[in-house]
Amino acid sequence: MSSPAVAASSTSRSIVWFRKALRVHDNPALLAGIKGNAVSASQPVFVLDPWFCKPSRVGSNRMRFLLESLRDLDASLRSVGSSLLVLHGEPRVVLPRACKSWDVNLVTWEHDIEPYAKVRDLAVRGALERAGVECTSVSGHTLYDVDEVLKKCKGPPPTTYQGFLKIVGSMCEPAVATGAPEKMPKPFTGTFEETRALVSGVADGYGIPTLEDLGYEALGDEEGFPARGGETEGLIRLRKQLARTEWIAGFEKPNTNPTTRFHALKQSKPKPKSPFEIAAGGGKGENPRTDANTLITPSTTALSPYLKFGCVSPRTFYHELKAVLAALDGKHSKPPTSLMGQLMWREFYYVVGAGTANFDKMEGNPICRQIPWIKDKELYAAWENSQTGYPWIDAAMTQLRQEGWLHHLARHAVACFLTRGDLFIHWEWGRDTFDRELVDADWAINNGNWMWLSCSAFFYQYFRVYGPHSFAKKYDKDGDYVKHYLPVLKNMPSKYIYEPWTAPLDVQRKAGCVVGVDYPAPVVDHASASKACVDKIAAAYDAHKLANGTAKPSQNKSTPSDDAQPSKKRKL
Ligand code: FAD
């Protein structure tokens, strides 16, 4: 199979296979693919794999973020003389065909630790190498090369943050981030007809589709995750966040507010320089997705989707943050709660995820406590669809479905409620919901945190439970967050906003929200449900100790305490 548009060549022709790392700055796979422009031609390619492109697997917020990131990457590549070719089809089919048809002898990509990616990459590598194509896979998604860290572990990876820090502390600092190439080798694509001929017989289709093309419902600019995908937006947002020096200095994750919605930071908005800029603003209210000047942010950076897709290099984040901290002369918060500490949590989960068998399952996972979770579809559906009757939980799950993002402590609250706090449902089910809905869904981090929150690994104080009616009150007395995401409760007096079933019937009627009619009654009684959960986990822990020959008196406190409120001492 050969394309009329491509003349055979003995000189080096490469494909840079983008998957994550949707950026041109600090991209080791991109640099390896162009070899300092020593290759004669190079084609950046993204393969839109049908395995991912379905609403049941990847929610619309994440898919839109991906498509926006691809458009941005294409624009960045065009500015340096190249372009992104998005091919539709299965990578293991499309890439070998492309290499044969385009006479390619080198393919480069970024190493990926996720199970699906590992199987896919092995299949692609096998097919390409059998055809005599050189394959180069390089580390770039994390600060440290995960394989290097695992070698240093000399055994299973550490399951504690401090143990992890000790290991990476003995390694060289993360490499300095590199810039974008100033000029790219010429791509294989050309005019519309040439590109069509190039792709013919290689892929099922090509080009960046719309959400609707992929069978998703369209999302308006005012809807969904409140920022655009892509490297350009990611770097702007990173630098705006890092310019908030005082905020960075005092950043303590447990003190950030889970009920703060994305909002405009007015002070960061520069004055329009000219009447044209004023006119361009159109005098409209701020639109988080189109207003380039204002930083729209929750109480943390909301950079997770940009890290997930590699629109922002973790090394760029790390070194630019380090420079900000250096200027503060030691007067700043420290890991694990500081902003730098958050980047290290990401590394931690990558290392333990990559080095643990069956990390995404309870069974066969050596670090995961075996707990007899129930699989109750009705309760699970109530949780997933904001029908638990606990407004804070239901509002958070609404934010997740609508925007594809949740603050870390809101993730804590809903995960605790689903698993060890109230419903005793398997953490793998909650993980699946997050995996579909989150813009930042990340295999290692998501599984790791679900194990943490369900007290299956890393964290074992199962008797400390988040009160689904009391936790958010500490941050948002009047329940503005709840009223925003659950408008049915917007007229409920503050006194009852977190427990509307306790409001007298006439108050419920006056508020236009009668519990059991307009809004569900609680699916479980928190006090008795959390006690039952604690008892069951205590029994599972005892069984674990017996099986491991470490039986000691149970940690069980017969009543759970609603004191999972984070304190500075808690490691988040
Ligand atoms: P910031 O506080 O601004 O932190 C900066 C960056 O550090 C984040 O973007 C993220 O890359 C990293 N980070 C922060 N907290 C953590 C953490 N606890 N573990 C690992 N890395 C962290 N994060 C994901 O990126 N993808 C997921 O799929 C994911 N699933 C989660 C599931 C549960 C049940 C819980 C409790 C947490 C999960 N997290 C996940 C971790 C965390 O909630 C998010 O990374 C964070 O809320 C993203 O917001 P931010 O960018 O504003 O974070």
Side-chain angles (χ1 to χ4, degrees), residues 389 489 492 499-503 505 508 513-522:
L489 285 162
M492 189 59 72
E499 297 167 273
W501 64 91
T502 62
L505 194 56
Q508 295 184 27
C513 180
V514 175
V515 172
V517 178
D518 305 299
Y519 179 70

Side-chain angles (χ1 to χ4, degrees), residues 251 253 300-304 307 317 339 342-343 345-346 349 405-408 411-412 415 434 438 440-442 445-446 449-450 453 572:
F251 186 99
K253 186 69 164 272
T300 52
T301 65
L303 285 166
S304 47
L307 288 164
F317 194 157
L339 191 51
Q342 304 313 300
L343 288 185
W345 279 114
R346 181 174 182 271
Y349 286 119
W405 191 88
L406 269 185
H407 184 278
H408 185 57
R411 299 182 198 210
H412 270 228
F434 271 33
L438 281 172
D440 62 31
D442 179 300
I445 308 179
N446 197 24
N449 274 285
W450 271 95
L453 262 299
L572 285 167

Side-chain angles (χ1 to χ4, degrees), residues 96-152:
R97 279 193 199 152
C99 288
K100 188 169 177 209
S101 179
W102 305 343
D103 193 23
V104 163
N105 41 29
L106 171 68
V107 179
T108 62
W109 64 80
E110 184 183 76
H111 182 59
D112 195 325
I113 65 155
E114 296 191 21
Y116 179 79
K118 276 163 70 176
V119 173
R120 176 196 64 197
D121 294 354
L122 205 64
V124 170
R125 180 183 282 276
L128 295 183
E129 288 184 345
R130 278 193 298 280
V133 179
E134 184 188 338
C135 297
T136 303
S137 147
V138 288
S139 165
H141 194 59
T142 42
L143 291 172
Y144 298 90
D145 180 335
V146 167
D147 289 336
E148 292 297 313
V149 184
L150 287 173
K151 268 188 227 147
K152 279 262 170 196

